[in-house]
Amino acid sequence: MSDTVLILGATSAIARATAAAFAAKGNDLYLAARDKDELERTAADLQIRYGVKVSYGLFDAEAIETHEPFFQDVVQEMHGISGVVLAFGFLGDQLAARDFKTGAKIIANNFTGAASFLSICANYFEPLQFGFIIGITSVAGDRGRQSNYVYGAAKGALSLFLQGLRNRLFSSGVRVITVKPGFVDTAMTFGMPGLFLVASPEYVGNRIVGALNKSSDIIYLPWFWRYIMLIIKHIPEFIFKRMKL
Amino acid sequence: MATLIKPVSGWGRYPVQSCEIERPERYADLKPSSPTLIARGQGRSYGDAALNENGHVILTERVNRLLLLDVENGILRAESGVTLDEVLNAIVPKGWFLPVTPGTKHVSLGGCVAADVHGKNHHHDGSFGNHVLSIELIKADGSRIECSPENHSDIFWATVGGMGLTGIIGEVTIKLIHIHSSQMMVRHYKTPNLEQIFKLLENPTADDSYTVAWIDSLVSGRELGRGVVMCGHHANDDELPFRIENRYNIKKRHAISIPFNFPAFTLNSFSIRKFNAFYYSHEGKKTSPYLTDYDPYFYPLDGLNNWNRMYGKQGFLQYQCVIPDKTSFEGIKAILETLTNSRHPSFLAVLKRLGAESKGMLSFTMTGYTLALDLPIRDQGIFPLLNRLDQIVMQHGGRVYLAKDARLSPESFHTMYPRYEEWLNVKTLIDPENRFRSSLSQRLKIGETA
């Protein structure tokens, strides 16, 4: 069986760091994203630095009809895959998302696109009784807040979807890991006011790969976000609705 | 693209200025998006070369991919934001090394081109630009141009040493050198005064691929300029231990971090004098050749993260000048004398011999000797002192290094860099609106047409 990891949304900072952490372990990689030039550069870089085989192809999360043929092509080209990291996501403009045309795009990318692709992955790994699925959602999905509830709702739905997949695939030995990053120093957060305890993409990438050796199903990155979100989730709604979060 | 406004400084932590920072992550986003801008790699230039007060600074740290490594011919192409550390990690295990390296590996490849950096091998191999095969330059109008010593050579030599003022350096292709192992063979010579140091640096039998002199800048009189000449080369096959498991092994060094700014009193004449005396006798003992990893040899200070904090909150100035061959001894001597007679001790003083002048129009290097000094800013008295040093440098026909400068005057700059007009012609051609600016260029009036 091939030891290739398929990474979707591979040109983001978190995905690049995760890909590097897999490559450092000796995994071959298949990188998928929309930007061909970036894919080519990132693939060359990982190949030179880590000496692993890196292939790449164009992938659009929102074009769900292309997911099945794309996945079959990857499996064929790499002679099977051993794991999938779903790292794409779209924050969008949260004010613009009050108009549902924008909101729908956020949901189409973060949830519908993700659910479509994960279904295909699950159907592939289940009969093999082998493999892993890592889905990157967000702490924003743990509670709806006025500042980003459309993105949060899509990520929250993805978290639930992953939870269901984990339940379904447990008996077949396929690992499903939900990753919930807090603030990470990426293009998404650069220049945002009010950030604190920002983690580097390298830290997040190493922890994501490291999670495969541990038993946790849901990992918060950095770890203390589990407790921040625990508090936030337990604020009673009659207080929470008055808060400007 | 989202921007971040915050106070930033160079490695010397002087001056600190408020800049609007952009950080592209995709190569296509590396472009002049704002009215005035300067690219910034790792911010390791000491002064204001990578600052742009009230303007934009484009951080290249995320545009750092290795694009091609030809292990047959030793050719590397990479995006400009990659650090020398990352490059070394990729090339040393395959038997290759950087042709020229400055004293820290935490600098970007683009920065090495923009400052046309030099190393301890300048007297043999010249500066960084000598080994650059080509550059993709992103111009003010957003277009990209591939330039090399053969193709658009005027743009190439205006960009090499051009302090980022001709455009954004996007990709760089360099020629690497072959090594037999990751080990260096090193030997020190303890030298009692400046005359002897110059004699040793000129002496072909004592000379080696990499040669540098550390000088105790706090002794005066007959011992003025005493120091240790350090020579080394990449170990040959017959110098390696009989049994060597992996000759290209890179030992990971664990760097110690300086956690806070040292209080002002820690670096005073007394402590520096003590340190220098210790260093003189300790390093002076290593008179027989010894093997060491390339990392501590080339990058001794990289073992201390944030070592700039040792100079305290006020920061420090690095003063590096070059004096041409004919007048170099008198010039360097006059500088050291002026310094020892002042109340401003230099923590570090390094003397190197430089070879042929670089072809970069604003490059620093010229045939002669270069002296680098680290001077903490303890009070404003340091500035007139350095102006006096500028006068000595100019009287002897030398110049000051822009990558380390934070306080030179426009008049001195124009005297020191005689090829400026030639450079300005190219600059005006490819950046007619003078969009590529830095605090350095504004202070020295570089790029402004009269």
Side-chain angles (χ1 to χ4, degrees):
Chain A
M1 196 65 196
S2 140
D3 210 12
T4 301
V5 179
L6 166 62
I7 301 184
L8 299 136
T11 54
S12 79
I14 291 180
R16 268 182 70 192
T18 309
F22 273 116
K25 278 203 327 169
N27 286 99
D28 288 337
L29 298 166
Y30 192 100
L31 310 179
R34 279 177 308 176
D35 185 334
K36 184 158 178 284
D37 182 51
E38 280 297 299
L39 282 168
E40 197 177 330
R41 290 167 178 276
T42 307
D45 180 65
L46 292 165
Q47 215 154 313
I48 295 170
R49 288 186 201 231
Y50 303 101
V52 295
K53 188 176 162 231
V54 187
S55 301
Y56 62 90
L58 290 173
F59 171 82
D60 183 348
E62 290 162 45
I64 52 174
E65 69 285 357
T66 64
H67 289 185
E68 180 74 46
F70 171 81
F71 187 80
Q72 294 313 329
D73 285 351
V74 174
V75 168
Q76 200 174 11
E77 186 182 336
M78 306 310 288
H79 307 291
I81 54 173
S82 58
V84 173
V85 179
L86 192 146
F88 61 76
F90 172 59
L91 178 62
D93 181 334
Q94 296 303 303
L95 274 181
R98 292 181 179 191
D99 175 355
F100 194 65
K101 272 198 229 89
T102 306
K105 189 176 156 57
I106 293 172
I107 293 167
N109 185 299
N110 293 297
F111 181 62
T112 318
S116 154
F117 201 80
L118 288 177
S119 304
I120 296 165
C121 298
N123 296 344
Y124 169 78
F125 287 122
E126 194 171 33
L128 295 178
Q129 307 222 316
F130 150 93
F132 63 84
I133 291 170
I134 298 175
I136 301 179
T137 73
S138 169
V139 293
D142 279 10
R143 188 157 195 180
R145 297 174 299 128
Q146 59 176 316
S147 56
N148 64 2
Y149 61 89
V150 181
Y151 176 77
K155 286 296 197 186
L158 176 58
S159 296
L160 272 184
F161 190 89
L162 285 163
Q163 198 172 46
L165 273 190
R166 180 158 44 244
N167 192 207
R168 168 186 154 196
L169 296 176
F170 176 75
S171 55
S172 53
V174 178
R175 272 299 285 285
V176 178
I177 298 172
T178 307
V179 179
K180 295 184 179 182
F183 296 136
V184 185
D185 186 15
T186 63
M188 197 190 262
T189 60
F190 189 77
M192 253 186 203
L195 295 193
F196 54 94
L197 300 168
V198 180
S200 73
E202 290 70 31
Y203 168 89
V204 171
N206 285 326
R207 290 302 158 105
I208 288 173
V209 175
L212 285 170
N213 298 326
K214 297 191 181 126
S215 57
S216 328
D217 298 315
I218 301 172
I219 56 166
Y220 284 83
L221 291 173
W223 58 271
F224 50 78
W225 277 95
R226 179 184 297 275
Y227 302 97
I228 295 174
M229 294 321 293
L230 193 70
I231 295 165
I232 289 179
K233 278 192 287 191
H234 284 87
I235 300 171
E237 194 65 27
F238 74 91
I239 298 173
F240 196 81
K241 71 183 180 191
R242 293 179 165 82
M243 294 171 77
K244 295 258 182 265
L245 279 171
Chain B
M1 186 178 301
T3 62
L4 176 67
I5 300 174
K6 71 168 192 184
V8 280
S9 71
W11 184 244
R13 317 213 308 148
Y14 172 87
V16 181
Q17 295 174 347
S18 175
C19 301
E20 194 161 347
I21 305 168
E22 290 175 43
R23 189 184 62 192
E25 296 202 343
R26 289 164 194 267
Y27 190 71
D29 292 338
L30 192 64
K31 60 186 177 199
S33 51
S34 45
T36 80
L37 66 149
I38 190 74
R40 175 181 169 106
Q42 293 290 313
R44 283 286 179 139
S45 54
Y46 286 76
D48 53 2
L51 304 182
N52 189 15
E53 193 167 31
N54 305 319
H56 280 234
V57 169
I58 313 289
L59 265 186
T60 63
E61 60 186 40
R62 294 272 166 103
V63 189
N64 66 341
R65 269 94 34 115
L66 302 173
L67 301 172
L68 170 96
L69 176 58
D70 176 345
V71 289
E72 298 295 309
N73 305 302
I75 291 167
L76 174 94
R77 186 166 180 90
E79 293 174 346
S80 59
V82 73
T83 65
L84 296 189
D85 186 31
E86 293 173 283
V87 170
L88 288 165
N89 286 335
I91 65 173
V92 171
K94 298 191 168 75
W96 296 96
F97 203 77
L98 294 162
V100 165
T101 174
T104 169
K105 59 187 179 341
H106 301 304
V107 286
S108 70
L109 190 60
C112 289
V113 175
D116 194 11
V117 298
H118 58 274
K120 301 180 177 89
N121 56 343
H122 188 277
H123 56 307
H124 295 302
D125 304 315
S127 53
F128 201 85
N130 271 8
H131 309 273
V132 175
L133 300 175
S134 71
I135 296 167
E136 183 173 84
L137 186 72
I138 302 161
K139 295 194 290 180
D141 62 5
S143 67
R144 286 149 193 242
I145 185 172
E146 191 75 17
C147 57
S148 67
E150 296 79 34
N151 189 14
H152 298 290
S153 66
D154 54 340
I155 298 178
F156 182 82
W157 292 115
T159 300
V160 167
M163 302 309 291
L165 299 168
T166 56
I168 303 173
I169 297 169
E171 292 178 5
V172 182
T173 309
I174 59 170
K175 182 87 180 79
L176 306 170
I177 57 164
H178 181 62
I179 48 173
H180 293 274
S181 81
S182 56
Q183 299 290 301
M184 305 297 297
M185 184 56 94
V186 187
R187 176 178 186 172
H188 294 182
Y189 299 85
K190 193 173 179 177
T191 335
N193 55 41
L194 196 64
E195 282 86 353
Q196 294 301 318
I197 286 194
F198 268 77
K199 279 209 180 110
L200 261 175
L201 291 177
E202 279 158 13
N203 182 350
T205 51
D207 185 40
D208 210 336
S209 314
Y210 302 94
T211 301
V212 61
W214 168 85
I215 288 179
D216 182 345
S217 59
L218 278 177
V219 289
S220 48
R222 284 223 316 250
E223 281 191 308
L224 180 83
R226 74 171 185 184
V228 182
V229 175
M230 305 168 178
C231 305
H233 58 264
H234 295 283
N236 303 320
D237 271 337
D238 50 3
E239 288 168 334
L240 293 169
F242 178 59
R243 264 192 298 201
I244 179 161
E245 270 183 27
N246 182 359
R247 56 173 58 209
Y248 294 118
N249 205 12
I250 301 180
K251 271 200 202 117
K252 279 271 163 261
R253 281 166 86 197
H254 290 283
I256 299 166
S257 288
I258 306 291
F260 52 81
N261 295 319
F262 278 20
F265 63 83
T266 44
L267 284 184
N268 52 44
S269 313
F270 179 77
S271 64
I272 297 176
R273 207 179 292 272
K274 282 284 173 217
F275 173 82
N276 281 8
F278 166 76
Y279 196 81
Y280 180 61
S281 71
H282 185 261
E283 295 300 308
K285 277 183 207 149
K286 301 177 182 171
T287 48
S288 43
Y290 64 96
L291 275 178
T292 178
D293 283 355
Y294 78 84
D295 195 323
Y297 176 75
F298 284 107
Y299 314 112
L301 282 169
D302 286 350
L304 281 178
N305 286 332
N306 311 111
W307 62 259
N308 51 351
R309 289 183 180 162
M310 296 199 305
Y311 287 99
K313 197 164 174 263
Q314 313 261 37
F316 69 104
L317 298 164
Q318 174 146 131
Y319 189 82
Q320 184 168 1
C321 60
V322 55
I323 313 262
D325 246 347
K326 269 188 270 173
T327 49
S328 53
F329 182 75
E330 289 73 34
I332 302 285
K333 193 169 168 224
I335 291 171
L336 285 175
E337 277 167 353
T338 310
L339 197 72
T340 50
N341 291 332
S342 77
R343 297 173 301 104
H344 294 275
S346 170
F347 191 64
L348 197 77
V350 172
L351 182 71
K352 285 189 291 256
R353 210 178 114 209
L354 297 185
E357 180 153 14
S358 169
K359 289 188 208 141
M361 298 172 195
L362 289 188
S363 284
F364 165 70
T365 56
M366 62 166 87
T367 315
Y369 286 81
T370 175
L371 180 70
L373 306 163
D374 270 1
L375 300 148
I377 304 176
R378 297 189 305 175
D379 56 60
Q380 296 300 307
I382 189 82
F383 294 98
L385 170 70
L386 294 185
N387 291 340
R388 284 215 299 287
L389 297 191
D390 289 344
Q391 293 305 321
I392 300 174
V393 170
M394 283 186 285
Q395 278 159 21
H396 291 85
R399 63 171 71 117
V400 162
Y401 195 4
L402 298 181
K404 300 190 172 179
D405 177 53
R407 29 71 39 203
L408 198 66
S409 72
E411 297 72 33
S412 303
F413 163 74
H414 287 284
T415 313
M416 290 172 175
Y417 286 84
R419 293 181 71 189
Y420 173 68
E421 290 299 324
E422 192 187 338
W423 180 85
L424 187 62
N425 287 340
V426 182
K427 161 84 171 172
T428 329
L429 208 66
I430 57 171
D431 181 16
E433 292 164 42
N434 192 20
R435 292 181 65 192
F436 288 99
R437 280 183 228 179
S438 60
S439 296
L440 175 115
S441 79
Q442 292 177 72
R443 176 167 54 81
L444 298 179
K445 307 201 188 310
I446 304 178
E448 291 173 15
T449 33

